[in-house]
Amino acid sequence: MRTICLYFEIHQIIHLKRYRFFDIGTDHYYYNDYANETSINEVAERSYIPALNTLIDMVKTSEGAFKVALSVSGVALEQLEIHAPAVIDLLHQLNDTGCCEFLAEPYSHGLSSLANEDCFKEEVKRQSAKVKQMFGKAPKVFRNSSLIYNDEIGAMVAALGFNGMLTEGAKHVLGWKSPHYVYHCNMNPNLKLLLRDFKLSDDISLRFSNSEWSEYPLFADKYISWIDALPQEEQVINIFMELCALGMSQPLSSNILEFLKALPACAREKGITFSTPTEIVTKLKSVSQLDVPYPMSWMDEERDTSCWLGNGMQREAFNKLYSVAERVHLCDDRRIKQDWDYLQASNNFRFMTTKNSGVGLNRGIYESPYDAFTNYMNILGDFIKRVDSLYPIDIDNEELNALLTTIKNQGDEIEELHKELEKAQLKLEKEKAAEKKTKAAAPKAAAKATTKAAAKPAKAAAAKKPAAKKEAK
């Protein structure tokens, strides 16, 4: 049976303030609080709240047949908790339906998977823990920032224990292959891959309200008919986009939410279902491995990482940031840790792009990519000074490596202890269950024994009667 995997991303940009060279060393606060509060409230009001209400209504109307997946960066969860708690309430309501799966992703929505494995793994574990704490279930499927993926990243994700990962169905990777199958990582076959159908996804997120588009206006029955017309053996249709596409990229006045509401009924008429990523990777087998030597993403026409790392400015800023990754990993200063998350966010590098992508880019306070680079590097200069004050740049490499080794060993030891604790808890639960069964069976056994005991004298009496008759004779 053909199924649709519908996934939405929620991430919130942290806006940096105008930061001059002469602020370095004197001002350690880097953020435009007004811009952050107003932007998240605008997105919440125009997109997140109406979109999430629609998804909840779709689950209820379809009686659970409609299913959806969401991933929310740790940074976005922080900002929503502070500025838009109504969105958090709606996420809980959607989670309570049992028809929504929350995925794991890097906490910062950054590019650590391309730079530092330890940093990447720490971020993913932290975001997964926050999702479990908020929604009661640890994520089993992973999506990287902007669906970035290559073979090495797949191996890292598999090593973290995930059984599935979302990524882009890029033409230069797939070639003649279709994105409508389940594939697996070529370095670890246990990690299954779900590939985004970029045409069907962009029809909703980018083209829906474009009156010059040849398919305008797009109705739900037409959209589902395109899916139904695909070759019968192509069973998995992955439609992935940002949640803010509903209301921001495509205004509510375009009837985008009415279109979405109509999808489950139109799909049911064609025998098409909706599934979560975990359901798909659990039920369906992989058809083949996917070979991705170079990173791909869902950004721009090239579907690569050039929008973040395509020019010299971006690479210099990126390398400078991750040059202090080990020192940040060592420290326990909460302010530095939070700044590290916010400075890693991929949009900081996106603002520096010199590419003409064909999609409008709002650079916020920046007049040009050079302006974005200068402002970011000023902030980074101050941040690195603060990190160096804790762990000086001239610290002996052997000493630093020894500290990192100690921390890694401690982390491994803690992980092993957690595993042992989980085993002990499972054993205890089994013993409790067995004890409960024994207690429940005890009254029945006692009653049976009483019945047997009562039956013995009766049998003995019956046996004595013939003997008594013989004596009488």
Side-chain angles (χ1 to χ4, degrees):
M1 183 178 284
R2 181 166 292 157
T3 194
I4 295 171
C5 180
L6 184 62
Y7 154 79
F8 294 102
E9 171 212 65
I10 297 178
H11 172 63
Q12 189 59 33
I13 288 175
I14 302 297
H15 297 275
L16 302 178
K17 70 180 181 182
R18 180 65 67 181
Y19 194 92
R20 309 292 179 187
F21 175 79
F22 299 103
D23 295 327
I24 298 174
T26 61
D27 182 4
H28 304 319
Y29 193 76
Y30 312 135
Y31 313 107
N32 186 332
D33 291 333
Y34 175 78
N36 287 324
E37 185 175 355
T38 53
S39 65
I40 197 167
N41 282 326
E42 182 186 12
V43 176
E45 186 179 339
R46 289 176 54 190
S47 173
Y48 293 163
I49 291 173
L52 289 170
N53 273 319
T54 298
L55 294 175
I56 293 166
D57 184 53
M58 290 167 70
V59 172
K60 291 177 179 176
T61 304
S62 68
E63 298 179 342
F66 172 74
K67 296 175 183 178
V68 68
L70 289 173
S71 74
V72 193
S73 69
V75 167
L77 285 170
E78 286 180 11
Q79 295 298 303
L80 291 169
E81 285 177 307
I82 297 168
H83 300 300
V87 176
I88 298 291
D89 290 341
L90 288 171
L91 289 172
H92 280 295
Q93 288 179 41
L94 186 56
N95 182 52
D96 290 343
T97 64
C99 295
C100 176
E101 179 180 1
F102 285 90
L103 311 184
E105 68 167 76
Y107 195 94
S108 70
H109 193 77
L111 307 173
S112 57
S113 60
L114 301 172
N116 188 296
E117 182 175 348
D118 291 335
C119 204
F120 171 69
K121 289 182 175 180
E122 185 276 332
E123 276 201 84
V124 174
K125 288 177 182 177
R126 194 151 42 95
Q127 191 267 356
S128 296
K130 191 167 182 70
V131 168
K132 185 178 180 181
Q133 175 240 321
M134 290 187 75
F135 304 111
K137 193 177 287 186
K140 295 179 180 177
V141 174
F142 180 78
R143 63 86 59 184
N144 203 1
S145 309
S146 301
L147 300 189
I148 294 172
Y149 177 84
N150 67 5
D151 299 331
E152 288 77 15
I153 292 171
M156 286 192 288
V157 171
L160 284 167
F162 295 103
N163 54 20
M165 182 171 176
L166 276 54
T167 186
E168 177 69 7
K171 278 186 178 179
H172 70 274
V173 171
L174 282 174
W176 56 269
K177 296 177 183 176
S178 166
H180 305 144
Y181 295 95
V182 176
Y183 295 88
H184 65 262
C185 171
N186 74 352
M187 295 179 74
N188 192 322
N190 293 323
L191 183 76
K192 292 180 179 176
L193 303 174
L194 301 182
L195 309 184
R196 173 180 181 256
D197 184 314
F198 64 84
K199 183 191 177 299
L200 288 172
S201 301
D202 292 348
D203 285 344
I204 298 174
S205 63
L206 297 181
R207 291 184 278 272
F208 184 82
S209 62
N210 182 4
S211 58
E212 295 181 1
W213 181 34
S214 61
E215 301 293 345
Y216 179 86
L218 179 62
F219 294 103
D221 56 350
K222 182 200 283 189
Y223 188 79
I224 292 296
S225 72
W226 293 344
I227 294 173
D228 186 54
L230 292 168
Q232 196 59 41
E233 62 274 12
E234 298 186 5
Q235 294 294 302
V236 183
I237 315 301
N238 300 307
I239 301 169
F240 307 157
M241 69 192 77
E242 296 176 335
L243 187 63
C244 65
L246 311 178
M248 299 297 287
S249 304
Q250 307 305 319
L252 298 182
S253 58
S254 68
N255 293 322
I256 183 73
L257 296 184
E258 284 69 22
F259 165 83
L260 201 69
K261 279 182 189 177
L263 287 177
C266 294
R268 188 168 56 247
E269 287 177 5
K270 300 287 187 180
I272 299 170
T273 63
F274 285 83
S275 300
T276 62
T278 292
E279 287 175 340
I280 293 171
V281 300
T282 302
K283 293 176 184 176
L284 298 183
K285 291 182 179 179
S286 166
V287 295
S288 77
Q289 70 180 34
L290 196 67
D291 299 312
V292 190
Y294 304 105
M296 65 176 175
S297 76
W298 70 1
M299 293 298 292
D300 297 344
E301 190 66 30
E302 294 83 3
R303 315 287 181 192
D304 58 15
T305 59
S306 58
C307 65
W308 304 289
L309 301 173
N311 63 47
M313 293 185 296
Q314 292 169 311
R315 290 190 292 274
E316 183 180 345
F318 181 79
N319 293 334
K320 190 79 172 173
L321 174 69
Y322 285 100
S323 69
V324 294
E326 285 80 8
R327 286 170 167 76
V328 173
H329 188 56
L330 283 173
C331 86
D332 56 4
D333 186 306
R334 288 181 64 191
R335 282 288 303 277
I336 283 180
K337 292 283 193 183
Q338 186 178 60
D339 291 339
W340 174 247
D341 283 337
Y342 294 169
L343 292 176
Q344 281 190 92
S346 62
N347 57 276
N348 292 312
F349 304 98
R350 173 76 164 152
F351 291 150
M352 302 175 201
T353 186
T354 50
K355 282 179 65 178
N356 182 11
S357 63
V359 178
L361 174 61
N362 180 6
R363 296 185 199 269
I365 63 170
Y366 306 123
E367 295 174 3
S368 69
Y370 313 101
D371 186 26
F373 172 73
T374 302
N375 201 68
Y376 184 79
M377 291 303 281
N378 286 341
I379 290 172
L380 194 54
D382 182 78
F383 177 74
I384 290 174
K385 273 184 176 249
R386 289 164 58 206
V387 174
D388 288 345
S389 69
L390 296 174
Y391 299 98
I393 195 71
D394 58 355
I395 187 172
D396 186 77
N397 282 338
E398 288 185 12
E399 187 181 348
L400 184 62
N401 289 334
L403 285 168
L404 289 169
T405 303
T406 302
I407 288 172
K408 186 178 184 305
N409 290 340
Q410 287 174 345
D412 292 343
E413 190 177 339
I414 289 168
E415 199 170 330
E416 286 300 318
L417 288 170
H418 276 305
K419 286 178 182 176
E420 286 180 24
L421 181 62
E422 284 176 8
K423 285 179 183 176
Q425 285 174 335
L426 284 171
K427 189 177 179 182
L428 183 63
E429 284 172 12
K430 285 180 182 177
E431 287 176 357
K432 281 183 179 178
E435 189 180 340
K436 199 174 180 181
K437 280 184 182 177
T438 305
K439 283 182 180 178
K444 291 181 182 177
K448 200 172 182 182
T450 304
T451 305
K452 281 183 179 179
K456 279 181 181 178
K459 282 183 181 177
K464 284 178 182 179
K465 281 181 183 178
K469 283 181 182 178
K470 283 180 182 179
E471 284 174 10
K473 286 180 181 179

